[in-house]
C-alpha cells in the first residue's frame, strides 16, 4: 500500500493501439481537471496508419501552469501487453499501472492491477462507456473528485437530443464502477494540492487551433491548403470557421498549387495563408522565392515532423529551420516566427499575417507536431485588441515606382484593378517592375529586400539574469521544457541567462546584443545538426546545441543534465 502524499502535479498516460480512444480519455481527464481549476497539458504520440499500431496519450495535471510533459508517469493505463511491456519502465517510483485484464497478463509483482473495463461498461448499460470506467479508477488513484468528471460528462452530453439523460446517467454509473475496482486494489498514488483557479477566463485549445484563430483574428481572407500531417487540422479548422462574407477556403490538389494560390491572392490584395509540413516546404521553394522577389505578402505555416522524405509523419522534430529560413535559391532569408507554447501560437498567427502585410513579402510560421496537437488551458485572447494591419495602396497614376530605392519606408503596394499598374516580376527588375539585368538594379533591390526586414521589430522576447556569462536559448516548442530545466538548474546555484524570442528572423536587437556578449549560448533543439546554433554561429555567436532526434520531446531531467554537461565542458 503506497502512502498518500500531496503533490503539485500528476502525469497520467493511456497506452495501447490507435483507435482505442486514448486521445479521448486524456482529453476528457484534462477538461475535467481544467473545470476543477487545475492547469493541464496533453501530449499524444501515434503511428502514421489510420487505425492500429502502438499509440499513447497523456495529460499532466498541475496546480501551476504546465511547462512540459514531465519526466515519469504517475498513473499508467495500458490496454494490451505490448503497451505494458513498452511503457512500464516510465512509471514513477510510487506510480500505479492499471492494465486491461482481457489483453494483458503482467508477470511478477508490482504496483499494478487489472480491470475489465468492457464488461463493467456493459453493467453500466452503455457498452461505449469503457473509458469512463477507466477514468473512475484513475480519479480514485489520485484522489481526484469524481464530481469534476461528472460535470464534464454533463456538459459533454447535454446536447438537447433524445437520450442525453440516459447517456449521462450510464457514464456516471461507469465512473462509479471503475472507482470500486480501484478502491479494492488497495493502491493510491496520492492526491493533488488544492488548485488555485486562474483569475482570468480560460479556453482549452490545441496549438493548431490557436494559430488558426490568431490568423483569422488578424484579418485572414483566403486559405488554401493540402492535407498533410500534422498540418491538416488547420485546413479543417479553416473550412469550419473561415466562412464569413468575402472569405475563401479551398483544398488544393498539391503544395505547388497552394503556394501559387496564396501568391495570387496576396498580389490581389488578400491576406492569404497556407499550412504544410516539411515535404510541402520543399515543393514550395520556387514559389517562396517568387514571393520574396516580387514582394508579395503571404504566410506559410510549417508544422514540423520527423524527416527527411516521409520520415516520421506523426512524430515531432525541429529540423526544418534551414529549409524555412533559406527556402529558395539565391540571397533569401525569410522572416521566421516560432511559437513556444499553445498561447503563443495565437499571437504567432496574428503577427505572421500582419508582418506579411507590413513588409510586403512571405512570412514563415514554424510549429511542430508536439505543439500542434497538444491541448492546454490558456488565457482567453482578447480579440478586440488584435490589430488588423493592411498594406498601403497607392492611388497615383501609371508608371508608379513600386520598387523605388529604400529610404526606411516601404512604397505603397497597388491592388490590381485600380488606377495604378505595375509588374510583379520574378525576374530582377527596375523601379516599376520591368525586367533588367543591370547590376545597379540587382544590387539596389537585393539590399532593399533585406533592409525592409527591419520593419519587423515588434516580436515578443524574454531576457532574465542578463549579467551571466552563459545563456540558455531555446526556440519553438522546446521553450517550456527548457524553462523547467533552467529553473531546476538555477535552484541548484547555476548562474544562467534566459533568452527567448518568438521571432528567429529578424531577431530583436536586444536579444542579438545579449547573444553577442555571452561566453557560451546553449541551444536545446530537436534535430541532429543543431540548426539554430549553426545559424547563430554564422552571426559570430558562441553557440552550441543540446540535441535530440527521437521523434519525442525532451524530458526535463534529461535536458537539465545535458545542459549541465555543456556548462562543465566550458569550465574545463
Amino acid at each position: 500500500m503506497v502512502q498518500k502524499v500531496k503533490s503539485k502535479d500528476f502525469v497520467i498516460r493511456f497506452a495501447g493501439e490507435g483507435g482505442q480512444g486514448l486521445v479521448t480519455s486524456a482529453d476528457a481527464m484534462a477538461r475535467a481537471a481544467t473545470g476543477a481549476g487545475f492547469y493541464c497539458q496533453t501530449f499524444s504520440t501515434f503511428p502514421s496508419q489510420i487505425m492500429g499500431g502502438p499509440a499513447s496519450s497523456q495529460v499532466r495535471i498541475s496546480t501551476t501552469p504546465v511547462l512540459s510533459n514531465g519526466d515519469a508517469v504517475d498513473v499508467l493505463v495500458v490496454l494490451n501487453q505490448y503497451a505494458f511491456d513498452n511503457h512500464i519502465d516510465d512509471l514513477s517510483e510510487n506510480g500505479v499501472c492499471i492494465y486491461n485484464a482481457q489483453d494483458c497478463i503482467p508477470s511478477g509483482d508490482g504496483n499494478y492491477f487489472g480491470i475489465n473495463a468492457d464488461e463493467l461498461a456493459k453493467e453500466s448499460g452503455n457498452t461505449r462507456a469503457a473509458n469512463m470506467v477507466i477514468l473512475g479508477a484513475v480519479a480514485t488513484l489520485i484522489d481526484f473528485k469524481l464530481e469534476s468528471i461528472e460535470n464534464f460528462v454533463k456538459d459533454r452530453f447535454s446536447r438537447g437530443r433524445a437520450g442525453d439523460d440516459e447517456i449521462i446517467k450510464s457514464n456516471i454509473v461507469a465512473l462509479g464502477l471503475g472507482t470500486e475496482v480501484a478502491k479494492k486494489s488497495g493502491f493510491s498514488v496520492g492526491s493533488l494540492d488544492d488548485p488555485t483557479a486562474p483569475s482570468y477566463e480560460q479556453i482549452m485549445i490545441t496549438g493548431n487551433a490557436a494559430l488558426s484563430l490568431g490568423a483569422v483574428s488578424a484579418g485572414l481572407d483566403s486559405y488554401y491548403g493540402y492535407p498533410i500531417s500534422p498540418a491538416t487540422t488547420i485546413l479543417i479548422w479553416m473550412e469550419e470557421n473561415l466562412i464569413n462574407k468575402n472569405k475563401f477556403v479551398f483544398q488544393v490538389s498539391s503544395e505547388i498549387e497552394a503556394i501559387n494560390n496564396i501568391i495570387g491572392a496576396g498580389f490581389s490584395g488578400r491576406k492569404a495563408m497556407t499550412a504544410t509540413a516539411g515535404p510541402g516546404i520543399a515543393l514550395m521553394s520556387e514559389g517562396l522565392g517568387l514571393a520574396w522577389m516580387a514582394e508579395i505578402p503571404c504566410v506559410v505555416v510549417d508544422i514540423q515532423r520527423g524527416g527527411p522524405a516521409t520520415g516520421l509523419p506523426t512524430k515531432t522534430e525541429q529540423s526544418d529551420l534551414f529549409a524555412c529560413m533559406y527556402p529558395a535559391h539565391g540571397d533569401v532569408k525569410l522572416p521566421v516566427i516560432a511559437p513556444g507554447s499553445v498561447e503563443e501560437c495565437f499571437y504567432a498567427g496574428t503577427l505572421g499575417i500582419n508582418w506579411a502585410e507590413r513588409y510586403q513579402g512571405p512570412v514563415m510560421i514554424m510549429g511542430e507536431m508536439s505543439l500542434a496537437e497538444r491541448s492546454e488551458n490558456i488565457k482567453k485572447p482578447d480579440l478586440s485588441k488584435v490589430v488588423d494591419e493592411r498594406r498601403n495602396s497607392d492611388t497615383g497614376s501609371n508608371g508608379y515606382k513600386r520598387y523605388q530605392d529604400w529610404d526606411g519606408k516601404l512604397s505603397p503596394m497597388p491592388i490590381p484593378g485600380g488606377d495604378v499598374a505595375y509588374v510583379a516580376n520574378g525576374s530582377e527588375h527596375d523601379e516599376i517592375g520591368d525586367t533588367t539585368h543591370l547590376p545597379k538594379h540587382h544590387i539596389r533591390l537585393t539590399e532593399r529586400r533585406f533592409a525592409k526586414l527591419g520593419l519587423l521589430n515588434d516580436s515578443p522576447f524574454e531576457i532574465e539574469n542578463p549579467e551571466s556569462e552563459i545563456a540558455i536559448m531555446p526556440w519553438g516548442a522546446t521553450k517550456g521544457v527548457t524553462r523547467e530545466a533552467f529553473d531546476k538548474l538555477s535552484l541548484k546555484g547555476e548562474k544562467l541567462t534566459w533568452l527567448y524570442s518568438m521571432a528567429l528572423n529578424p531577431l530583436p536587437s536586444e536579444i542579438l546584443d545579449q547573444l553577442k556578449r555571452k561566453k557560451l549560448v546553449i541551444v536545446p533543439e530537436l534535430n541532429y545538426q543543431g540548426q539554430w546554433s549553426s545559424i547563430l554561429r554564422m552571426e559570430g555567436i558562441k553557440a552550441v546545441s543540446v540535441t535530440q532526434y527521437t521523434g519525442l520531446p525532451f524530458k526535463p531531467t534529461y535536458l537539465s543534465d545535458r545542459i549541465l554537461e555543456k556548462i562543465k565542458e566550458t569550465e574545463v
Side-chain angles (χ1 to χ4, degrees):
M1 179 80 176
V2 179
Q3 294 294 318
K4 284 188 177 182
V5 292
K6 286 284 186 179
S7 178
K8 294 293 184 183
D9 65 43
F10 284 131
V11 176
I12 303 157
R13 181 182 298 171
F14 304 85
E17 289 191 359
Q20 289 187 306
L22 308 172
V23 175
T24 300
S25 296
D27 185 69
M29 193 71 210
R31 292 182 182 276
T34 298
F38 293 99
Y39 297 88
C40 294
Q41 184 184 113
T42 68
F43 170 72
S44 298
T45 179
F46 40 82
S48 56
Q49 57 260 47
I50 296 173
M51 293 287 288
S56 68
S57 188
Q58 70 181 46
V59 56
R60 188 177 184 185
I61 303 171
S62 178
T63 56
T64 58
V66 182
L67 297 176
S68 76
N69 305 324
D71 283 312
V73 178
D74 298 295
V75 178
L76 174 63
V77 178
V78 294
L79 301 184
N80 56 35
Q81 190 67 44
Y82 182 90
F84 180 88
D85 294 340
N86 285 274
H87 290 270
I88 194 65
D89 289 343
D90 290 338
L91 203 62
S92 65
E93 183 180 356
N94 294 324
V96 176
C97 173
I98 305 170
Y99 63 86
N100 177 9
Q102 287 182 306
D103 297 316
C104 184
I105 307 176
S107 58
D109 296 325
N111 287 356
Y112 43 77
F113 65 92
I115 189 168
N116 195 329
D118 289 334
E119 288 300 317
L120 291 173
K122 292 178 183 177
E123 290 184 27
S124 74
N126 183 354
T127 58
R128 302 178 65 181
N131 62 331
M132 287 296 158
V133 174
I134 291 171
L135 288 180
V138 169
T140 303
L141 291 178
I142 62 173
D143 199 23
F144 186 80
K145 293 180 181 179
L146 278 185
E147 179 185 0
S148 296
I149 305 180
E150 291 172 359
N151 290 337
F152 164 76
V153 169
K154 291 173 183 176
D155 290 340
R156 169 69 178 81
F157 294 106
S158 295
R159 302 163 297 183
R161 302 179 185 176
D164 280 357
D165 290 343
E166 191 60 37
I167 292 173
I168 292 170
K169 179 181 177 181
S170 62
N171 274 288
I172 291 176
V173 170
L175 284 170
L177 293 172
T179 296
E180 292 304 314
V181 175
K183 286 179 178 178
K184 290 177 183 178
S185 75
F187 289 108
S188 174
V189 176
S191 60
L192 285 164
D193 281 343
D194 293 333
T196 302
S199 58
Y200 49 79
E201 187 177 359
Q202 300 179 90
I203 57 172
M204 192 80 173
I205 193 170
T206 66
N208 273 359
L211 193 154
S212 302
L213 180 62
V216 170
S217 300
L220 180 69
D221 299 305
S222 301
Y223 183 89
Y224 300 85
Y226 179 80
I228 181 173
S229 296
T232 305
T233 50
I234 295 179
L235 170 62
I236 294 170
W237 193 97
M238 293 295 177
E239 288 174 334
E240 294 175 346
N241 295 280
L242 191 62
I243 54 178
N244 294 336
K245 185 179 180 181
N246 296 325
K247 303 295 184 180
F248 185 73
V249 180
F250 188 71
Q251 180 175 320
V252 295
S253 60
S254 74
E255 305 288 5
I256 295 174
E257 184 179 349
I259 186 65
N260 285 316
N261 270 296
I262 66 169
I263 289 173
F267 172 67
S268 67
R270 309 280 285 178
K271 286 190 169 185
M273 186 174 91
T274 188
T276 186
I281 296 298
L283 290 169
M284 293 181 185
S285 174
E286 186 175 8
L288 286 165
L290 171 60
W292 169 266
M293 193 74 167
E295 302 187 29
I296 297 176
C298 59
V299 176
V300 175
V301 179
D302 175 29
I303 306 299
Q304 299 168 93
R305 64 193 212 183
T310 303
L312 302 171
T314 58
K315 303 298 180 181
T316 202
E317 208 163 82
Q318 293 180 300
S319 54
D320 291 350
L321 185 54
F322 291 153
C324 288
M325 195 172 287
Y326 311 104
H329 65 275
D331 281 324
V332 175
K333 190 176 182 182
L334 295 191
V336 173
I337 299 169
S341 67
V342 170
E343 185 171 15
E344 284 186 5
C345 283
F346 173 84
Y347 297 102
T350 65
L351 194 63
I353 295 296
N354 285 330
W355 269 16
E357 288 287 300
R358 188 190 310 167
Y359 101 113
Q360 297 176 15
V363 173
M364 303 295 305
I365 300 177
M366 298 186 70
E368 50 211 80
M369 170 66 182
S370 65
L371 181 58
E373 295 294 332
R374 81 179 184 217
S375 295
E376 288 182 22
N377 51 322
I378 67 171
K379 183 177 182 179
K380 184 178 179 180
D382 186 347
L383 302 186
S384 67
K385 294 182 179 179
V386 175
V387 177
D388 180 355
E389 293 186 36
R390 295 282 168 173
R391 72 195 68 175
N392 181 16
S393 299
D394 188 78
T395 56
S397 59
N398 285 344
Y400 166 67
K401 294 181 179 180
R402 162 86 171 88
Y403 304 105
Q404 63 188 351
D405 290 340
W406 177 256
D407 60 359
K409 296 181 180 179
L410 199 56
S411 51
M413 183 179 178
I415 295 174
D419 296 329
V420 178
Y422 76 99
V423 180
N425 200 339
S427 297
E428 193 55 282
H429 40 266
D430 61 15
E431 291 90 342
I432 63 173
D434 285 347
T435 299
T436 177
H437 296 161
L438 292 176
K440 68 175 184 179
H441 288 299
H442 187 51
I443 293 169
R444 179 179 61 80
L445 285 175
T446 296
E447 293 175 353
R448 168 192 160 97
R449 289 186 286 267
F450 279 93
K452 63 181 183 159
L453 291 172
L455 296 171
L456 311 178
N457 55 8
D458 57 342
S459 172
F461 62 89
E462 300 170 10
I463 299 174
E464 293 182 29
N465 305 327
E467 68 282 353
S468 299
E469 291 186 325
I470 298 175
I472 310 296
M473 187 181 189
W475 69 277
T478 59
K479 180 190 179 183
V481 67
T482 304
R483 183 69 209 204
E484 198 165 329
F486 174 87
D487 290 342
K488 183 180 294 188
L489 291 169
S490 297
L491 287 173
K492 290 181 178 180
E494 295 294 333
K495 304 299 182 183
L496 301 168
T497 296
W498 171 262
L499 299 176
Y500 172 77
S501 174
M502 194 165 74
L504 303 185
N505 185 46
L507 276 171
S509 59
E510 296 91 338
I511 290 286
L512 193 56
D513 178 64
Q514 278 290 317
L515 287 168
K516 290 183 175 181
R517 292 169 180 263
K518 299 305 174 187
K519 177 181 177 182
L520 179 68
V521 177
I522 300 173
V523 177
E525 51 186 328
L526 300 176
N527 58 62
Y528 174 80
Q529 299 177 88
Q531 294 188 16
W532 181 226
S533 69
S534 295
I535 292 172
L536 291 177
R537 286 195 298 273
M538 291 169 63
E539 299 290 335
I541 295 158
K542 300 178 182 69
V544 297
S545 289
V546 172
T547 64
Q548 177 175 292
Y549 33 94
T550 60
L552 299 171
F554 283 113
K555 289 185 179 296
T557 297
Y558 170 82
L559 181 56
S560 62
D561 289 345
R562 292 289 309 279
I563 291 173
L564 193 57
E565 288 175 9
K566 293 291 184 184
I567 295 172
K568 299 304 179 186
E569 289 173 7
T570 305
E571 294 174 349
V572 174

